[in-house]
Amino acid sequence: MAEIMYWEAIQRAHDEEMARDPLVICMGEDIGVAGGTYKATKGLYEKYGPLRVMDTPISENGYTGLGVGASFLGVKPIIEIMSVNFAWLAMDQIFNSAAKVRYMSGGQLTAPVVVRSAGGAAHQLGAQHSARMEKVFMGIAGLRVVTPSNPKQAYGLLKSAVRSPDPVYINEHELMYNMKGEVPDEEYFHPLEGSEVARSGTDVTLFGYNISVHWCLKAAEILAKQYNISAEVVDLYSLSPLDRAGIKKSVAKTHKAVIAEEDEAPVGVGSEIMAIINEECFWELDAPPVRVHSALVPQPYAHNLEKATIPDHEDVVKAVLKLFGKA
Amino acid sequence: MKLKDRKRVLREMVLARRFEERCYQAYIERKIGGFLHLYPGQEACCYGVMEAARPGFDYVITGYRDHVHAIKCGADPKAVMAELYGKETGCSKGRGGSMHIFDVEHRFMGGYALVGGPFPLAAGMAKAIQMKGGDEIAICFLGDSANNQGSFHETMNMAALWKLPVLFVCENNLYGIGTALERSTAVVDQYKRVCAYGIESDVCDGQDIEVVLEHAHKAVEHVRSRKGPYFLELKTYRYRGHSMSDSRGYRSREEEEQWKQRDPINMLRDRMIVEDKYTLAEFEAMEKEIDGYIENEVIKFAEESPDPKVEELTKYVLAD
């Protein structure tokens, strides 16, 4: 098992799927000749040529719709939207066409596109380049939403998404492309549904996804060493559908829950997980669950303000201590 | 350009007209819900273009005024009517409704309700055709006002850039919902708007089907011979409002009467009477026969078909 970077894992999944099936294509801004803003498509243009590795104009709704239309006829497009902030412009085609066409055609037509995009706050990118959008995508019927927290998931989820008969949105993070991790040498397909226990524990469950899984893991480390609290970390790599059974199972074990997300409240991923806890296992709880999330502000530019907006592992630790009456 | 089989096409257009008029009646009777956008007045556009193309072979996509395009591609009028009635036997299993008629078997790739939404979808189908190497073309029928969406400009640019085999047919019926074209659009000649993208275009009368046929023939040949995309503007008129909730207060009854003088069905019929020894009696008998078919088969089928099962509410959201 080799240790590779997150972007390399995504690139490998592209390469393998494109080598296997001539109808798999990829498209997006700067993905071809320039090799991709985050290198996720590096070398593919040289290998597969401009008809299959399409440098698109800066027309997010247009090229996303074009990918959807191509998928009607069996082409399998992997569409990169450079930043999730621009995905708003493609929302008409994702929301109105890709997600709904199977239903409104009575199952006759499907749009099995893969849309990948990088969201999240990086380093002082300001209000229009720092957004999280997963909470919007996960509320759309007919769309699968996954969000890899490590290179293995980034590779295996993209592989599975390409093979899926449903449209899949893959939520990546701008700060994670250079993260290293082990990826199996052999071909690997990660399930599109479910959740993973990233660290086993007994006293509290920390729910995270994508980057917040790492806050939770770091917080669990601190909680174990400094406070003798055994935290379980559940990685919700699938945001739609959410793994209700997995959420219930862990809460039933630890009886306490903290939900960490980079998205802002209200109406965040955390709200939905809290609702699921209420619906599935309210009587298992020893204390009200706590949410950790961003402040409801357009992302500020100033370094100190940005830091104050976005939570991190320290906020997760604080939330747990509050839950245990230690803060 | 003379139609090869005027009689058949006349019959098809009359069926389309009577089908739509019967929908109107069913809507008044509250058998059909939602929004209903009817096609009478514009028949020569769909039939003229599709007579030049290959229905059931070429991929067709359109907006919400979609019943007739589906039928011309090969959809069974009974399944279309059952869809409007919200029945399980409807072509979209009662999940789509009037604005979402689909018949993928006949390559009618759907009616879509976001104005301008089908532009990039059509270009995408053309991209797939280009990759697969077939002889098909993609045909996108939309109205004049769709051209004021960003998707129009984004798609024209990509279609031209990648030389995609797609024919854009603009059925210019002069109004975007209730706003006249010249009140919403700086350049009223729609065919001129694609010049900015280097796309070949043409304009013609959309009421005389044989005029449409001639221009469409050239357009289809251009696209099928892989010379790139093409844009054809057809000047036409819808007799009814934009949808059923429209009382047409934005235009005069005189204007409507003027357009009805150039009715696509009557024009073809009268030409056949003069040139083909066709008779009014034959026409009237055909109308009667079609009305009988619509009543005794199409409506009966829709009325008697079962509703979708509530237990299957979430079927078709995702693949099984």
Side-chain angles (χ1 to χ4, degrees):
Chain A
M1 205 179 295
E3 198 168 75
I4 60 173
M5 285 197 247
Y6 195 93
W7 71 262
E8 290 175 306
I10 298 169
Q11 194 274 353
R12 182 182 147 193
H14 273 93
D15 193 10
E16 286 177 7
E17 290 304 300
M18 292 183 75
R20 173 187 62 88
D21 181 354
L23 289 179
V24 176
I25 64 171
C26 55
M27 49 197 297
E29 294 150 2
D30 273 9
I31 67 155
V33 173
T37 306
Y38 303 104
K39 298 189 277 190
T41 51
K42 194 180 170 189
L44 301 178
Y45 181 86
E46 292 74 11
K47 198 166 173 183
Y48 300 104
L51 284 179
R52 292 182 63 200
V53 181
M54 301 170 74
D55 278 314
T56 63
I58 300 178
S59 306
E60 286 82 7
N61 200 45
Y63 69 70
T64 302
L66 192 143
V68 172
S71 79
F72 290 171
L73 272 62
V75 171
K76 196 79 209 201
I78 306 170
I79 302 165
E80 176 175 301
I81 297 178
M82 191 187 281
S83 158
V84 108
N85 301 266
F86 318 153
W88 285 108
L89 294 166
M91 215 49 180
D92 171 40
Q93 291 298 339
I94 297 171
F95 179 77
N96 284 310
S97 300
K100 293 179 179 172
V101 76
R102 177 190 289 275
Y103 196 83
M104 66 191 196
S105 69
Q108 290 181 74
L109 200 55
T110 59
V113 289
V114 179
V115 180
R116 303 174 35 247
S117 191
H123 299 293
Q124 292 182 272
L125 299 182
Q128 295 187 336
H129 271 67
S130 304
R132 287 73 56 181
M133 263 179 85
E134 52 270 21
K135 66 180 179 187
V136 177
F137 286 112
M138 68 188 278
I140 300 173
L143 184 68
R144 291 183 176 277
V145 181
V146 294
T147 181
S149 67
N150 56 50
K152 182 184 171 188
Q153 286 183 2
Y155 166 74
L157 286 170
L158 178 52
K159 293 275 291 183
S160 298
V162 171
R163 306 289 179 100
S164 170
D166 299 313
V168 182
Y169 171 69
I170 303 182
N171 181 64
E172 296 164 7
H173 197 290
E174 295 199 24
L175 290 181
M176 291 170 70
Y177 289 103
N178 290 330
M179 167 189 290
K180 275 193 159 182
E182 288 192 331
V183 177
D185 297 326
E186 66 278 11
E187 196 171 39
Y188 165 71
F189 293 89
H190 197 286
L192 292 174
E193 296 186 10
S195 62
E196 272 170 17
V197 177
R199 177 187 172 120
S200 191
T202 52
D203 301 336
V204 59
T205 303
L206 311 179
F207 289 103
Y209 61 91
N210 190 261
I211 200 166
S212 67
V213 169
H214 301 282
W215 309 339
C216 293
L217 288 170
K218 205 165 171 187
E221 199 70 41
I222 293 168
L223 289 164
K225 279 187 188 155
Q226 297 179 19
Y227 300 95
N228 200 30
I229 293 171
S230 165
E232 175 150 300
V233 177
V234 174
D235 180 341
L236 298 165
Y237 59 80
S238 170
L239 293 180
S240 183
L242 274 165
D243 182 16
R244 298 180 79 93
I247 293 168
K248 182 180 175 181
K249 190 178 169 196
S250 187
V251 173
K253 179 181 169 191
T254 64
H255 310 289
K256 290 189 185 67
V258 168
I259 305 138
E261 62 180 315
E262 198 189 285
D263 221 334
E264 64 270 25
V267 201
V269 178
S271 332
E272 192 56 34
I273 295 167
M274 204 176 264
I276 290 173
I277 293 171
N278 268 331
E279 288 161 2
E280 297 284 343
C281 48
F282 180 80
W283 300 108
E284 295 285 355
L285 289 169
D286 285 346
V290 180
R291 283 186 296 169
V292 173
H293 53 77
S294 286
L296 187 63
V297 292
Q299 191 76 14
Y301 167 72
H303 180 64
N304 67 326
L305 294 181
E306 176 166 85
K307 200 166 178 302
T309 304
I310 303 294
D312 60 13
H313 64 279
E314 289 174 8
D315 296 287
V316 179
V317 171
K318 274 185 218 157
V320 173
L321 295 179
K322 185 179 153 194
L323 202 55
F324 279 77
K326 293 185 180 179
Chain B
M1 181 181 275
K2 198 178 162 186
L3 287 159
K4 275 190 195 133
D5 188 348
R6 282 175 168 174
K7 222 175 199 176
R8 172 182 58 79
V9 178
L10 182 70
R11 187 185 188 286
E12 287 182 21
M13 287 206 291
V14 171
L15 174 65
R17 173 74 58 90
R18 305 304 291 177
F19 182 93
E20 294 287 81
E21 295 300 343
R22 188 61 182 81
C23 290
Y24 180 91
Q25 193 189 323
Y27 190 88
I28 301 289
E29 293 164 1
R30 299 193 146 188
K31 301 276 189 184
I32 297 174
F35 285 123
L36 183 67
H37 307 81
L38 299 172
Y39 201 59
Q42 300 185 203
E43 291 90 348
C45 299
C46 172
Y47 285 88
V49 171
M50 290 313 293
E51 282 299 313
R54 293 171 64 183
F57 177 74
D58 293 324
Y59 292 93
V60 173
I61 194 165
T62 189
Y64 37 75
R65 204 178 302 283
D66 58 352
H67 316 160
V68 170
H69 299 80
I71 291 170
K72 179 58 184 166
C73 287
D76 185 342
K78 288 191 288 208
V80 177
M81 189 62 83
E83 184 60 33
L84 305 183
Y85 272 61
K87 298 297 182 78
E88 181 68 22
T89 55
C91 51
S92 305
K93 304 249 183 343
R95 269 73 166 178
S98 166
M99 300 191 281
H100 307 303
I101 303 293
F102 286 80
D103 187 342
V104 174
E105 193 194 331
H106 293 102
R107 298 190 171 177
F108 179 70
M109 308 303 274
Y112 297 79
L114 274 288
V115 175
F119 281 128
L121 300 176
M125 295 195 297
K127 165 74 185 172
I129 293 166
Q130 190 184 59
M131 284 182 70
K132 291 170 142 186
D135 194 31
E136 300 96 333
I137 65 170
I139 306 176
C140 178
F141 288 91
L142 284 175
D144 43 290
S145 285
N147 302 344
N148 286 335
Q149 288 282 15
S151 61
F152 168 80
H153 299 276
E154 294 186 4
T155 302
M156 293 307 143
N157 179 48
M158 292 186 294
L161 182 69
W162 295 322
K163 236 179 153 184
L164 300 175
V166 52
L167 168 59
F168 299 103
V169 179
C170 173
E171 299 188 37
N172 180 355
N173 65 18
L174 307 179
Y175 294 89
I177 315 179
T179 300
L181 186 61
E182 67 272 14
R183 296 186 59 241
S184 67
T185 308
V187 175
V188 294
D189 286 324
Q190 298 303 300
Y191 72 98
K192 289 182 182 170
R193 300 180 75 186
V194 297
C195 297
Y197 303 102
I199 292 179
E200 201 152 318
S201 67
D202 192 8
V203 60
C204 70
D205 173 22
Q207 299 306 94
D208 184 334
I209 188 169
E210 296 189 323
V211 170
V212 174
L213 178 72
E214 184 168 338
H215 289 257
H217 191 75
K218 193 178 143 213
V220 166
E221 279 318 297
H222 177 95
V223 178
R224 205 180 302 283
S225 60
R226 300 301 183 252
K227 292 195 183 97
Y230 196 96
F231 184 94
L232 177 61
E233 177 185 358
L234 306 172
K235 301 251 192 211
T236 188
Y237 203 76
R238 60 167 152 75
Y239 293 161
R240 297 205 176 272
H242 165 73
S243 71
M244 293 292 284
S245 57
D246 173 359
S247 54
R248 302 165 3 256
Y250 47 83
R251 66 189 195 191
S252 68
R253 297 300 87 97
E254 292 74 29
E255 179 186 290
E256 292 179 352
E257 279 315 308
Q258 269 177 7
W259 277 92
K260 284 181 181 173
Q261 296 306 307
R262 301 194 69 251
D263 180 81
I265 292 172
N266 292 349
M267 278 164 75
L268 179 61
R269 179 199 63 194
D270 295 347
R271 188 172 301 153
M272 288 163 65
I273 290 172
V274 173
E275 297 177 6
D276 306 337
K277 295 180 185 159
Y278 189 66
T279 66
L280 202 56
E282 267 181 276
F283 181 79
E284 283 165 358
M286 175 185 69
E287 272 192 317
K288 208 172 162 191
E289 176 254 311
I290 284 171
D291 282 344
Y293 161 72
I294 289 175
E295 213 52 48
N296 302 327
E297 295 193 41
V298 175
I299 292 290
K300 187 167 184 281
F301 178 77
E303 293 270 5
E304 291 175 358
S305 286
D307 288 334
K309 291 181 188 145
V310 174
E311 308 85 78
E312 292 183 349
L313 173 68
T314 58
K315 198 176 173 185
Y316 310 122
V317 175
L318 293 170
D320 295 330

